[in-house]
Amino acid sequence: MWKFLGFKNGDNYIKNDEKKQYELNYDNIPRHIAIIMDGNGRWAKEKNLPRSIGHTVAVENLNKIIKETSDLGVKYLTLYAFSTENWNRPAEEVNTLMKLLAEYLKKQLNELHKNNVIVKTIGDISRLPDICIQVLEKSMEKTKNNTGMLLNLALNYGGRDEILYAIKNIFNDYVEGIISKEDINNINVEIFNKYLYTKNIPDPDLIIRTSGEQRLSNFLLWQCAYSEFWYTDVKWPDFSKENLHEAIKDYQLRNRRFGGIK
Ligand code: FPP
């Protein structure tokens, strides 16, 4: 039976060891979870393995977490799979990541489809190798009429790049006469949202980062205005269902005020 996740004496700080007594509240599952899957390289290094093995095990970990988020009733799961800055890695590592992406989707598409998952991407995928583009397009096409969780893969994605992309699209709409100068003067958050890669996707409620790093690294900069952040020292290849539950329980203990007063 779920216990009320209240705040002690109106305080919104509950010690970590006290959090363990709380159970997951299935009525308050975050609608949108976004994950920075970090630590693959360090996970491999600790074991004297090449970084590529860290990434391989990281991909093997995906299904379990995707299935669990979907089973919990999360509607949107965004995974930071390749950033605009990840091109700066050695070509060999970039190639490994691209190969893993293509292989993962080739192997798992039927399973994702069977689980009613919709596959989408954010970021400029045109720069990815052809094989990745093909398999991504096939995945999006095959799953487009599904009604379950939206699996949103951030690929060649950067928050700053996305904001520039939105501004350029607004300018193009103005040049082509689709919107007027008055429309531009009246742009608000809702309208700007429609020019982002994430149009039609609500802002993330919970952003998880693994591996002990506590930064955003150019992820969902616009969308994270009121997201709750959760960090763990666990590296992505070891991230478990239990860790996911821990993150969600912690989220459920937060007092979200969105700048207002509760
Ligand atoms: C961060 O670990 C991880 C990445 C840059 C890539 C994450 C990508 C995957 C898990 C594969 C994506 C594939 C699919 C199918 C979505 P790191 O290499 O920065 O680790 P480190 O900080 O320990 O070096």
Side-chain angles (χ1 to χ4, degrees):
M1 187 56 192
W2 172 67
K3 294 180 195 166
F4 171 64
L5 305 179
F7 299 105
K8 286 177 107 189
N9 305 321
D11 193 354
N12 67 1
Y13 179 75
I14 298 179
K15 287 196 206 106
N16 273 337
D17 51 349
E18 286 178 34
K19 283 175 188 167
K20 294 205 174 91
Q21 67 180 290
Y22 296 102
E23 286 168 31
L24 201 64
N25 173 5
Y26 290 89
D27 296 328
N28 182 21
I29 297 296
R31 185 161 57 146
H32 182 177
I33 296 182
I35 309 184
I36 304 175
M37 307 177 289
D38 197 9
N40 307 342
R42 278 163 288 155
W43 180 92
K45 197 172 171 206
E46 271 169 11
K47 296 172 170 52
N48 286 321
L49 294 167
R51 292 176 61 82
S52 58
I53 301 290
H55 293 310
T56 306
V57 179
V59 172
E60 284 166 7
N61 200 27
L62 285 172
N63 273 355
K64 184 177 70 193
I65 301 300
I66 293 172
K67 176 88 174 40
E68 184 63 11
T69 39
S70 164
D71 288 351
L72 285 170
V74 171
K75 296 278 176 253
Y76 305 86
L77 174 65
T78 299
L79 299 177
Y80 204 7
F82 195 85
S83 77
T84 44
E85 288 75 31
N86 284 153
W87 296 109
N88 298 328
R89 296 186 175 210
E92 195 191 335
E93 181 162 339
V94 171
N95 291 341
T96 300
L97 286 167
M98 295 300 157
K99 207 169 141 227
L100 285 170
L101 168 71
E103 278 172 4
Y104 173 78
L105 284 175
K106 269 193 210 158
K107 269 198 215 143
Q108 299 302 329
L109 181 56
N110 284 340
E111 183 70 14
L112 291 167
H113 186 50
K114 204 178 84 193
N115 287 320
N116 202 16
V117 167
I118 307 155
V119 178
K120 287 229 162 129
T121 63
I122 52 172
D124 177 10
I125 62 164
S126 69
R127 208 184 144 188
L128 302 186
D130 287 348
I131 178 66
C132 292
I133 299 175
Q134 282 162 19
V135 74
L136 282 164
E137 282 174 351
K138 186 175 169 196
S139 307
M140 290 192 268
E141 180 58 30
K142 186 170 173 111
T143 61
K144 70 176 184 202
N145 295 322
N146 286 347
T147 53
M149 186 179 78
L150 191 150
L151 172 65
N152 193 26
L153 300 174
L155 291 162
N156 190 21
Y157 173 86
R160 288 177 171 174
D161 183 66
E162 181 180 34
I163 292 166
L164 291 173
Y165 161 87
I167 292 168
K168 287 177 201 164
N169 282 334
I170 292 169
F171 180 71
N172 283 341
D173 277 3
Y174 172 68
V175 170
E176 286 174 23
I178 297 167
I179 56 172
S180 65
K181 205 171 162 192
E182 201 193 340
D183 290 331
I184 293 188
N185 282 333
N186 290 328
I187 280 184
N188 57 24
V189 171
E190 282 67 39
I191 297 171
F192 193 75
N193 279 343
K194 295 195 171 76
Y195 285 91
L196 294 166
Y197 291 128
T198 52
K199 62 170 184 263
N200 305 325
I201 297 178
D203 290 346
D205 298 295
L206 172 63
I207 298 183
I208 295 173
R209 184 170 189 151
T210 59
S211 89
E213 307 290 7
Q214 301 194 354
R215 56 176 170 266
L216 208 46
S217 299
N218 204 9
F219 191 41
L220 302 173
L221 296 183
W222 171 270
Q223 298 85 343
C224 75
Y226 281 101
S227 302
E228 298 296 328
F229 291 89
W230 190 82
Y231 304 103
T232 175
D233 287 339
V234 175
K235 297 178 182 68
W236 175 256
D238 287 331
F239 189 78
S240 64
K241 280 200 250 185
E242 290 68 32
N243 297 138
L244 178 70
H245 287 199
E246 227 184 299
I248 299 176
K249 279 197 267 182
D250 204 298
Y251 163 86
Q252 292 174 343
L253 288 162
R254 310 279 177 94
N255 184 358
R256 299 187 83 191
R257 295 184 297 279
F258 299 94
I261 299 171
K262 249 191 189 162

